[in-house]
Amino acid sequence: MDYEAIFLTLKLALFTSVILLAFATPLAWWLARWRHPLRPLVNAVIALPLVLPPTVLGFYLLVAFSPNHWFGATWLSTTGSTLAFSFTGILIGSLIYSLPFAVQPLYNAFEHLDKRYLDVAKTFNLSRWLTFWRVIFPLTRSAFMTAVGLSFAHTLGEFGVVLMIGGNIPGETRVVSIALFDHVESLNYSAAHQLAFVLLVFSFVMLAILYRLNRKQLSSWT
Amino acid sequence: MDLTFTLEKDRKQLLAVDCRIPAGVGCIAIYGPSGAGKSTLLRCLAGLEEDMRGAPILWDKHEFCGDRVGIVFQDGVLFPHLTVRGNLSFALQHTPVIGLSHPLAEHSMSSLVNIFEIESLLELPVTKLSGGEAQRVAIVRALLNKPDILLLDEAFSALDKRLKRKLIQFISGLISKGLRVVVVSHALRELAILSDYFIHLEHGNVVNSGSAEMMLPRLQLDADTLSSESLGEPVFSLLAVEPALGLSTEHGTDPIKEFMLGEVRLYASSYFTIHDEMKIRVDANHIVISNNAPGDSSMLNQLPVFIEQIEKRTDGRCLLHMFTRTEAAPQRLYAIVSSLSIEKLNLEAGRHVYASFKAH
């Protein structure tokens, strides 16, 4: 069993979902409140990874990570290493690739949140932080769970982007989907079966838990 | 105090308010048809709208101690992730320290829970509450936060008659202790009992505003042109009375109470205590006018009055603006009579007549 690949995949998925949550929450909040003609355009940019072939995204990222590009060059001069074929590189790719999966559930929830709950909180003189923790978060908890669950699950199944920018370096960029592809290419079907089965069961269990929790929360409010 | 501001959104003016409200007003009523901007005005007053030009100043601080606002919406807007007790505790946790002179200083959570009759609801999730229950919990939640100004947006609409009467009386008591209230309602009775000052809104503009005394007869006239869901209630007057000796006199199963207005004895089955004054309600449609004292009549209430003005209504009937003529200070009284009666009795402004009526 490719424990190393499984561990790396879980690490990548965990990092991606946690970082995305911190980043997507204010972004989704701002987008839901922003009234501007450019809003659909920004929404489209965020949703782009949903329809874009992962190889296209991977290709552009690979170009950006190259030391010939200002981004890659700046990274190299600051950190002393390149982003291409590194864990940080696939993490950045993963964050961009899964961004809509984190932003959209939160955006929908914030958009549909009854503004009057915030009005009541305001009359209680609640700070913004307390309003978030005590009012907004509990009222949109299911969207947060969906955002984390979907970005985690989506990262588990990531293949194209990782292949383009990460290659197949054990312990660094060789995630489960790449390892599986590798096993199939080398006709090692039993190892491929094992990994595919683990991925299948894990993804299924995660989604089932997610739906179960969401349903529980929804039914308690209706 | 001046209430002057405009609210614009997406380059569209939603609200333009320009009122000069006299000092000493304890409760302001906002009324008008649906979509007039009543709730938006309330949000502006609560400081919840950010796109205003000119800040609405309700009750200058020198006139009153603070500017902490509480708001109650028609459907309660209780936090669905908390139980009833959770909602109340939430408000309590964010209650400021208040002085003993605050109108709500003496009211703890348990006393408010008692008054609003919500003891049995405390452990329930708020999603299980009926409309009326949610409104009661929402009012208690707002009061627990010890506001200086309470904004009520159709906050009594789902309550049954008994509770509505009881709780409006309670809020009225708080107003007389210094709580300031702005109330939006379609129910003229609620507004009349609580409010000293009326603002009539239509299409985001103030059509009319003034003291309760001046505005009450207008409400019915306006109602003719408003939608049917609006103020379809009869014009009425509220007469300030004194309790007669032996206030409650039981006459068989009919508990008629006796009151005095100057030297005249009046009878009514109920009364309101409005800002510490005892008042009885007289519907304008229930008044019979006669040129001489009627003597024996089943209408026990007979008041000498003076006709100030006769106003023709759109339905062909006339609204009489009258003042009482007793040893007590004159009070306004309105009657609706037919044009035929005006003609037959030869009624005109300046005449002294008698108003007989059944009071509620």
Side-chain angles (χ1 to χ4, degrees):
Chain A
M1 181 77 91
D2 289 280
Y3 290 112
E4 197 177 45
I6 292 173
F7 174 74
L8 186 71
T9 308
L10 290 177
K11 182 177 149 191
L12 181 67
L14 187 71
F15 276 42
T16 303
S17 46
V18 170
I19 296 171
L20 264 185
L21 192 66
F23 183 66
T25 306
L27 178 64
W29 181 259
W30 169 74
L31 262 180
R33 297 270 170 287
W34 191 46
R35 296 281 173 263
H36 195 275
L38 287 178
R39 189 166 82 150
L41 211 68
V42 177
N43 272 334
V45 170
I46 292 169
L48 213 52
L50 286 176
V51 290
L52 210 61
T55 43
V56 174
L57 186 66
F59 170 69
Y60 281 123
L61 282 174
L62 197 60
V63 171
F65 290 171
S66 140
N68 300 326
H69 191 272
W70 69 265
F71 180 73
T74 314
W75 186 272
L76 184 62
S77 64
T78 326
T79 63
S81 62
T82 57
L83 276 172
F85 309 108
S86 71
F87 178 76
T88 315
I90 59 169
L91 179 60
I92 291 175
S94 209
L95 288 172
I96 296 172
Y97 190 46
S98 293
L99 183 67
F101 291 88
V103 171
Q104 287 200 337
L106 294 173
Y107 172 79
N108 284 337
F110 294 155
E111 181 96 329
H112 291 108
L113 181 67
D114 190 337
K115 218 166 55 169
R116 295 176 307 161
Y117 290 120
L118 308 181
D119 291 346
V120 172
K122 206 168 172 185
T123 63
F124 288 173
N125 279 347
L126 252 66
S127 65
R128 281 184 180 193
W129 185 242
L130 270 182
T131 303
F132 176 76
W133 276 117
R134 299 216 52 198
V135 180
I136 299 169
F137 179 69
L139 288 174
T140 54
R141 189 177 294 155
S142 60
F144 277 92
M145 288 194 298
T146 308
V148 172
L150 284 183
S151 40
F152 192 95
H154 189 239
T155 310
L156 287 185
E158 207 170 290
F159 178 72
V161 178
V162 179
L163 191 67
M164 290 292 280
I165 59 177
N168 186 3
I169 304 167
E172 187 70 22
T173 63
R174 185 183 154 93
V175 292
V176 171
S177 56
I178 302 283
L180 177 64
F181 180 71
D182 204 26
H183 289 317
V184 175
E185 280 228 302
S186 55
L187 304 177
N188 186 357
Y189 285 122
S190 79
H193 264 304
Q194 278 182 354
L195 269 187
F197 187 71
V198 167
L199 213 55
L200 183 77
V201 170
F202 193 83
S203 301
F204 172 74
V205 169
M206 240 198 71
L207 286 177
I209 291 172
L210 199 66
Y211 279 110
R212 171 84 188 141
L213 286 174
N214 265 349
R215 205 194 59 169
K216 217 170 154 186
Q217 172 133 9
L218 286 175
S219 63
S220 71
W221 287 3
T222 49
Chain B
M1 54 202 166
D2 284 330
L3 205 58
T4 307
F5 66 94
T6 56
L7 175 71
E8 275 181 30
K9 264 188 188 165
D10 302 328
R11 294 181 189 169
K12 207 175 139 197
Q13 183 170 295
L14 296 181
L15 207 57
V17 177
D18 189 1
C19 294
R20 176 167 282 272
I21 300 169
V25 165
C27 177
I28 298 170
I30 301 169
Y31 70 96
S34 291
K38 305 186 294 288
S39 299
T40 312
L41 173 56
L42 217 55
R43 285 178 51 81
C44 288
L45 299 180
L48 301 170
E49 289 287 351
E50 286 156 4
D51 305 320
M52 285 183 297
R53 279 197 202 154
I57 298 172
L58 263 181
W59 292 290
D60 297 336
K61 275 193 182 167
H62 67 260
E63 192 190 334
F64 191 62
C65 54
D67 56 1
R68 197 176 166 84
V69 173
I71 191 163
V72 182
F73 296 100
Q74 182 171 16
D75 52 350
V77 190
L78 299 168
F79 296 122
H81 55 288
L82 301 173
T83 59
V84 170
R85 188 189 291 280
N87 269 273
L88 301 184
S89 305
F90 190 99
L92 262 185
Q93 284 162 16
H94 300 97
T95 304
V97 178
I98 53 163
L100 285 174
S101 61
H102 192 282
L104 284 155
E106 65 185 76
H107 290 290
S108 63
M109 176 156 155
S110 61
S111 81
L112 287 171
V113 162
N114 248 321
I115 292 165
F116 282 74
E117 302 179 20
I118 55 172
E119 301 93 328
S120 57
L121 310 176
L122 284 175
E123 306 312 326
L124 290 182
V126 298
T127 46
K128 299 275 181 248
L129 300 182
S130 70
E133 289 168 343
Q135 284 186 338
R136 280 183 281 154
V137 174
I139 301 174
V140 172
R141 184 178 67 173
L143 292 177
L144 279 176
N145 203 239
K146 312 292 183 201
D148 303 307
I149 300 170
L150 182 64
L151 309 177
L152 301 170
D153 190 354
E154 301 278 4
F156 305 109
S157 59
L159 300 183
D160 66 50
K161 236 176 172 178
R162 179 190 68 82
L163 269 168
K164 193 181 280 192
R165 195 183 166 86
K166 176 182 172 188
L167 300 183
I168 287 176
Q169 292 272 21
F170 175 71
I171 300 285
S172 172
L174 293 176
I175 294 171
S176 52
K177 284 181 191 157
L179 183 73
R180 298 301 183 234
V181 175
V182 182
V183 56
V184 165
S185 173
H186 277 120
L188 180 53
R189 242 165 253 181
E190 285 169 31
L191 294 178
I193 292 168
L194 286 170
S195 316
D196 309 307
Y197 193 86
F198 284 73
I199 297 174
H200 178 180
L201 269 189
E202 264 183 51
H203 307 300
N205 292 300
V206 176
V207 178
N208 220 333
S209 66
S211 67
E213 224 183 29
M214 191 186 102
M215 295 291 285
L216 269 175
R218 298 240 75 83
L219 296 181
Q220 176 62 37
L221 301 177
D222 292 336
D224 292 342
T225 53
L226 298 177
S227 62
S228 59
E229 61 163 327
S230 190
L231 306 152
E233 289 192 56
V235 177
F236 59 88
S237 319
L238 294 169
L239 289 177
V241 291
E242 299 284 335
L245 286 175
L247 174 65
S248 186
T249 312
E250 300 281 337
H251 297 273
T253 54
D254 196 12
I256 299 283
K257 297 178 178 68
E258 296 185 13
F259 306 89
M260 298 303 290
L261 200 169
E263 76 286 12
V264 180
R265 189 172 289 266
L266 296 176
Y267 303 87
S269 52
S270 62
Y271 63 92
F272 303 98
T273 308
I274 305 170
H275 310 341
D276 285 341
E277 254 189 331
M278 194 177 266
K279 297 203 178 190
I280 59 171
R281 188 164 72 87
V282 184
D283 285 350
N285 273 317
H286 292 174
I287 293 186
V288 173
I289 301 292
S290 51
N291 276 320
N292 302 306
D296 285 350
S297 164
S298 69
M299 293 234 187
L300 295 174
N301 300 311
Q302 296 165 7
L303 262 178
V305 293
F306 158 79
I307 301 175
E308 185 209 24
Q309 187 196 343
I310 300 175
E311 192 176 328
K312 251 197 161 352
R313 287 164 45 114
T314 47
D315 61 2
R317 294 191 298 164
C318 295
L319 180 72
L320 299 188
H321 296 235
M322 307 181 292
F323 280 103
T324 56
R325 281 187 302 123
T326 64
E327 287 168 2
Q331 295 188 50
R332 270 189 186 277
L333 188 66
Y334 298 101
I336 292 173
V337 293
S338 66
S339 301
L340 187 64
S341 302
I342 299 279
E343 201 181 303
K344 291 259 184 207
L345 291 174
N346 205 14
L347 298 180
E348 56 188 14
R351 281 287 288 272
H352 286 192
V353 292
Y354 285 85
S356 311
F357 57 88
K358 286 179 180 173
H360 289 270

